[in-house]
Amino acid sequence: MATARGYAATDASKPLTPFTFERREPNEDDVVIDIKYAGICHSDIHTVRNEWKNAVYPIVPGHEIAGVVTAVGSKVTRFKVGDHVGVGCFVDSCVGCATRDVDNEQYMPGLVQTYNSVERDGKTATQGGYSDHIVVKEGYVLSIPDNLPLDASAPLLCAGITLYSPLKHWNAGPGKKVAIVGMGGLGHMGVKIGAAMGADVTVLSQSLSKKEDGMKLGAKDYYATSDASTFEKLAGTFDLIICTVSAEIDWNAYLGLLKVNGSMVVVGAPENAIPVHAFSLIPGRKSLSGSMIGSIKETQEMLDFCGQHNIVSEIEKIDIKDVNEAYERVLKSDVRYRFVIDMATLDA
């Protein structure tokens, strides 16, 4: 076992604090990664504060991991020491079950999450990226294109794939009108990726405070949803709406913005049930759907796409000692647009 250092939550009501723990020894199919940067996802906050009622402490959060390979097992063929790599939301999955589907493995039974989960041995707790290193099976390690900076690439491992997957699945591209609800850590990635796919992207945000940013990142239009006239003006406009927010919204009003056969896709996680009237869907053959992350295969496709189009997240880099303050700022939407922890500051 190798000693690892990081920051962990030990209780739902306590701040993250320095934590020392053991990483498993690498097997012949494992890759050892020196973690350089870890993005902060809202899911980290939900988990460590036990808002989803599934926390098992202690928890080292972090599933937006970017780093450098320091060692590889004897059977590893895709990576070598010095490679720039990433680790996303899961580090193992069921490879032998009857429902195995490499294109949809994120939705299949047996998924082992990067933290707050249990490894394949059934007893070892997984711990995430707010730490100095991690050991991951080769098949769950992603290659980060050399032209992309590691720090701003870290959020691609969750925020990036969370938007890329539905944009691709619902065929965003030339001739398609796409609306992104929310201009935050997820939403700004949707603007960048949707625009790079060739779609006509509109941002729907509570206010116009981030309009200049949205237009610079590739949006064609930007509307304030606090203005009731927005919903009249844009009725029947969009082929696809992706909702990235977890706040309460008028779902029926947003469904009214879809064209016939349009789809609204939920990637944010509202606390309460979604109230939708049947007649918001039936007359236009509209769909309300959900989407999670992507498979390893699709996540690598996303990273390659981002490499081709020079897409990374807009970030604010922080020292790890400031992680608890960053959590509070995330809750206030006081970041443009994703916090990334510089793990070198563990030694500061």
Side-chain angles (χ1 to χ4, degrees):
M1 303 288 279
T3 299
R5 295 176 300 118
Y7 268 52
T10 57
D11 183 271
S13 62
K14 295 177 181 176
L16 276 71
T17 53
F19 181 65
T20 300
F21 61 104
E22 299 297 320
R23 290 284 191 197
R24 62 180 173 82
E25 288 296 324
N27 297 313
E28 58 189 7
D29 59 347
D30 280 330
V31 177
V32 182
I33 301 165
D34 180 12
I35 299 174
K36 300 298 185 182
Y37 302 99
I40 293 178
C41 177
H42 205 142
S43 297
D44 300 345
I45 302 173
H46 286 307
T47 302
V48 303
R49 296 185 177 181
N50 202 24
E51 293 170 354
W52 289 337
K53 309 303 179 187
N54 65 346
V56 180
Y57 301 100
I59 300 169
V60 177
H63 58 206
E64 296 181 341
I65 299 169
V68 177
V69 176
T70 57
V72 297
S74 60
K75 290 191 175 179
V76 171
T77 60
R78 293 175 45 239
F79 300 100
K80 64 183 186 304
V81 172
D83 284 350
H84 286 189
V85 296
V87 179
C89 299
F90 60 101
V91 292
D92 209 340
S93 61
C94 180
V95 297
C97 53
T99 56
R100 174 71 171 165
D101 180 351
V102 296
D103 292 315
N104 294 289
E105 64 185 334
Q106 70 274 29
Y107 300 117
M108 299 292 110
L111 203 68
V112 177
Q113 298 178 49
T114 304
Y115 66 87
N116 197 47
S117 192
V118 179
E119 296 217 40
R120 187 61 56 209
D121 64 9
K123 59 183 180 180
T124 305
T126 59
Q127 302 289 8
Y130 297 11
S131 56
D132 58 0
H133 80 281
I134 192 168
V135 180
V136 182
K137 287 172 66 172
E138 177 183 24
Y140 299 86
V141 178
L142 289 308
S143 179
I144 296 177
D146 288 337
N147 63 305
L148 299 182
L150 276 180
D151 53 1
S153 294
L156 298 179
L157 279 303
C158 177
I161 187 58
T162 296
L163 272 296
Y164 180 90
S165 188
L167 285 166
K168 183 191 175 192
H169 182 81
W170 275 274
N171 300 312
K176 293 294 183 71
K177 288 187 174 293
V178 175
I180 304 294
V181 181
M183 182 64 183
L186 292 176
H188 92 286
M189 293 307 310
V191 174
K192 286 191 171 192
I193 293 171
M197 289 177 169
D200 186 334
V201 178
T202 295
V203 176
L204 302 176
S205 185
Q206 178 69 14
S207 74
L208 299 178
S209 64
K210 299 176 183 176
K211 180 176 180 179
E212 184 178 351
D213 286 357
M215 304 303 279
K216 285 180 180 178
L217 297 182
K220 295 287 182 65
D221 288 298
Y222 199 112
Y223 290 90
T225 56
S226 56
D227 182 349
S229 68
T230 290
F231 292 91
E232 298 174 13
K233 189 181 304 181
L234 299 178
T237 295
F238 301 107
D239 299 287
L240 175 64
I241 300 172
I242 300 180
C243 183
T244 71
V245 302
S246 55
E248 299 296 323
I249 63 172
D250 185 342
W251 294 89
N252 296 293
Y254 281 87
L255 288 166
L257 304 180
L258 291 172
K259 294 179 179 179
V260 172
N261 295 321
S263 296
M264 183 170 178
V265 182
V266 181
V267 299
E271 181 179 352
N272 297 317
I274 296 174
V276 173
H277 197 288
F279 283 96
S280 294
L281 299 170
I282 292 170
R285 197 163 58 188
K286 300 172 184 178
S287 300
L288 179 61
S289 305
S291 181
M292 201 165 65
I293 47 173
S295 64
I296 293 298
K297 177 182 174 183
E298 187 176 48
T299 304
Q300 187 61 61
E301 178 184 295
M302 176 274 303
L303 287 167
D304 294 341
F305 178 89
C306 288
Q308 292 163 11
H309 295 274
N310 290 302
I311 294 172
V312 289
S313 184
E314 301 296 307
I315 67 168
E316 181 178 336
K317 202 155 47 176
I318 64 167
D319 292 358
I320 196 164
K321 66 180 175 59
D322 298 321
V323 64
N324 295 297
E325 178 188 346
Y327 273 22
E328 296 306 318
R329 288 182 56 193
V330 168
L331 296 176
K332 296 174 184 175
S333 299
D334 180 25
V335 56
R336 295 196 179 181
Y337 283 90
R338 203 75 163 179
F339 282 119
V340 171
I341 304 167
D342 182 352
M343 296 312 303
T345 61
L346 262 176
D347 298 319

